[in-house]
Every structure is written in structure tokens, then in C-alpha cells.
Amino acid sequence: MPTAASMTKTFCLAALALAAGACRSRAKAPDATDYTRAMNAYLQKRGDLCIARADWPVDVTPGDVAEGTRDAVQMPVLEKLKLVESAPVPQAPGVTRYRLTALGKQQYIDRETRRPVSPDGPRQGMADFCVARLSLDQIKHVELHQVPNVPPHAVITYTYDVAAPDWTRDPAARRVFPAVDRVVSGAHTASLREELTLTPDGWVANELLPAAGASGAVAAKTAERP
């Protein structure tokens, strides 16, 4: 991990100063505390690991079963783990409909507010089925970029801790949710990367900047072994 001294570089925040209408010739150099604060804020907001399953109920057709689609493979496993329950669809012979159980609904949340929402009816907010929660373990490397007339940005490589329900370690769940398994099993050893930008309020993850909207999520990332 870089030392505080190696990251202590004084630089001119020309772009930010111009935007504010006043030039600051020198500014406080970033240190490990600044990056840690920004990463904690990012993971507090975007630390949920979700599986991109926003729409419920889920119908599995005979064609899905024949093709081995992800729904055909994953839904029976989730039912075995008591997170969903199935029933035939009378008007569609051969189709099985899966709905979240009370246990499963606990993990169907709005990623923006982190509160459970109803899976029934129109989708609410940034709803998704989220299976784990990531937090910062250690910042391993900082790659600082300074480009003229552009706010400084930094690429953070970090390891993470994971809080996940026991079912994510079930052999069948690990088999049908390989991306989840990689992230959960990679706690403290695998690395993720996040880009930060220096704003007037300090370092902020790009996914949290207003122009980025609220579409980012840790679920889209893949853990990489060091």
C-alpha cells in the first residue's frame, strides 16, 4: 500500500478554482485518509451486491428449461433455499411462476435507499434482489491522474469485506451464481477498482457524481484475484 509520503503531492486545482471564480495556487495534498473517506462513502451508497433481477414474478417456460437459461437454472435453486416459491400458470401450460417468499423479500431492496420494497406491481426506484454487502478492507494502490484544465482523479485499487447470508455459500447456489461466489469468496484477497474525482467537497466516487446518475452498482463489477 502506498505510504502517505508517496501520495503527498501538492498540485494546483486550476479547473476547480476557475469554476469557483477564484484561483488557489496551492491546495491540501491528498492522503490515505481522504481516499478512505471517499471509498467508505461510496460503499455505503453502492456496496450492495445484486443479481440484476428487478422484475418479479419470474416465469420459466419449457423453452427456458430446454435452453438452460439462467432463470431455468437459478430459480429451482432459490426455491430449494426457500427464497422463492413456485406454482404452475393455469393459462400457460408448462410454465412455472416463481415468486419471492417472505425470506426472499427481505433481500429485495431499493439500492438507493437500501430499504425493502414490494416486488409486486410496478418496479420501485432502483429495486433489485441483493445478496451481499461490501465494505472497505484496505486500499492497496492509488493511481493519481492530473490533466490540465480537468479536475484531478484517482483510480483506487482496494480489497473488501463481505457480509452475506449463509445460503450464498451453499454448493448449489455457488454453482448457479458464479459471479456472486467470486465476490463472496474473494473477501480480503480479491481486488476491485473505483475511480474518484476531486470536487470542491473533496474526493467523490465517479458513480456518485450528479452526471453519473444512480445506475452504478457493485453488482456490475467482477472481483479479480491478485
Side-chain angles (χ1 to χ4, degrees), residues 11 30 34-35 37-38 144 152-154 196-199 201-205:
F11 51 89
D34 297 322
Y35 297 127
R37 183 182 301 112
L144 186 62
H153 66 281
L196 311 179
T197 295
L198 185 59
T199 74
D201 297 322
W203 290 94
V204 177

Side-chain angles (χ1 to χ4, degrees), residues 125-148:
M126 294 174 60
D128 205 340
F129 188 76
C130 299
V131 300
R133 178 77 174 161
L134 276 62
S135 58
L136 182 65
D137 177 38
Q138 293 184 38
I139 292 178
K140 308 296 288 187
H141 179 70
V142 176
E143 182 180 332
L144 186 62
H145 297 270
Q146 301 178 63
V147 180

Side-chain angles (χ1 to χ4, degrees), residues 49-51 74 131-132 134 160 162 164-187 189-190 219 221-225:
L49 178 66
C50 309
I51 64 170
Q74 293 173 351
V131 300
L134 276 62
Y160 55 89
V162 176
D166 290 341
W167 69 260
T168 59
R169 297 172 177 84
D170 180 272
R174 296 179 64 182
R175 175 176 52 80
V176 301
F177 293 102
V180 172
D181 182 47
R182 284 195 298 270
V183 175
V184 172
S185 63
T189 58
K221 296 175 170 50
T222 300
E224 297 176 355
R225 296 287 183 181

Side-chain angles (χ1 to χ4, degrees), residues 4-218:
S6 68
M7 293 189 292
T8 307
K9 298 179 180 179
T10 303
F11 51 89
C12 181
L13 303 181
L16 295 179
L18 289 172
C23 181
R24 299 179 181 179
S25 60
R26 303 181 76 81
K28 175 182 177 293
D31 59 28
T33 301
D34 297 322
Y35 297 127
T36 298
R37 183 182 301 112
M39 288 304 303
N40 282 332
Y42 165 69
L43 290 171
Q44 177 64 30
K45 194 76 171 178
R46 292 284 187 270
D48 291 297
L49 178 66
C50 309
I51 64 170
R53 173 46 69 197
D55 297 319
W56 294 87
V58 174
D59 287 353
V60 175
T61 68
D64 292 325
V65 175
E67 295 176 14
T69 65
R70 75 159 182 153
D71 288 339
V73 170
Q74 293 173 351
M75 290 299 129
V77 172
L78 291 179
E79 183 169 36
K80 175 186 173 183
L81 296 168
K82 303 186 184 307
L83 295 165
V84 303
E85 56 189 2
S86 68
V89 180
Q91 64 273 30
V95 176
T96 301
R97 178 164 293 168
Y98 292 86
R99 297 183 182 275
L100 290 170
T101 62
L103 181 62
K105 288 178 180 179
Q106 295 176 15
Q107 294 178 229
Y108 186 74
I109 65 172
D110 184 327
R111 297 198 330 262
E112 187 67 23
T113 65
R114 302 209 64 251
R115 295 180 179 177
V117 293
S118 174
D120 302 317
R123 187 191 310 177
Q124 301 181 42
M126 294 174 60
D128 205 340
F129 188 76
C130 299
V131 300
R133 178 77 174 161
L134 276 62
S135 58
L136 182 65
D137 177 38
Q138 293 184 38
I139 292 178
K140 308 296 288 187
H141 179 70
V142 176
E143 182 180 332
L144 186 62
H145 297 270
Q146 301 178 63
V147 180
N149 303 319
V150 175
H153 66 281
V155 179
I156 308 297
T157 301
Y158 65 100
T159 55
Y160 55 89
D161 196 5
V162 176
D166 290 341
W167 69 260
T168 59
R169 297 172 177 84
D170 180 272
R174 296 179 64 182
R175 175 176 52 80
V176 301
F177 293 102
V180 172
D181 182 47
R182 284 195 298 270
V183 175
V184 172
S185 63
H188 304 290
T189 58
S191 296
L192 294 174
R193 301 178 74 193
E194 188 59 40
E195 187 167 337
L196 311 179
T197 295
L198 185 59
T199 74
D201 297 322
W203 290 94
V204 177
N206 285 4
E207 288 182 11
L208 299 184
L209 294 175
S215 61
V218 172

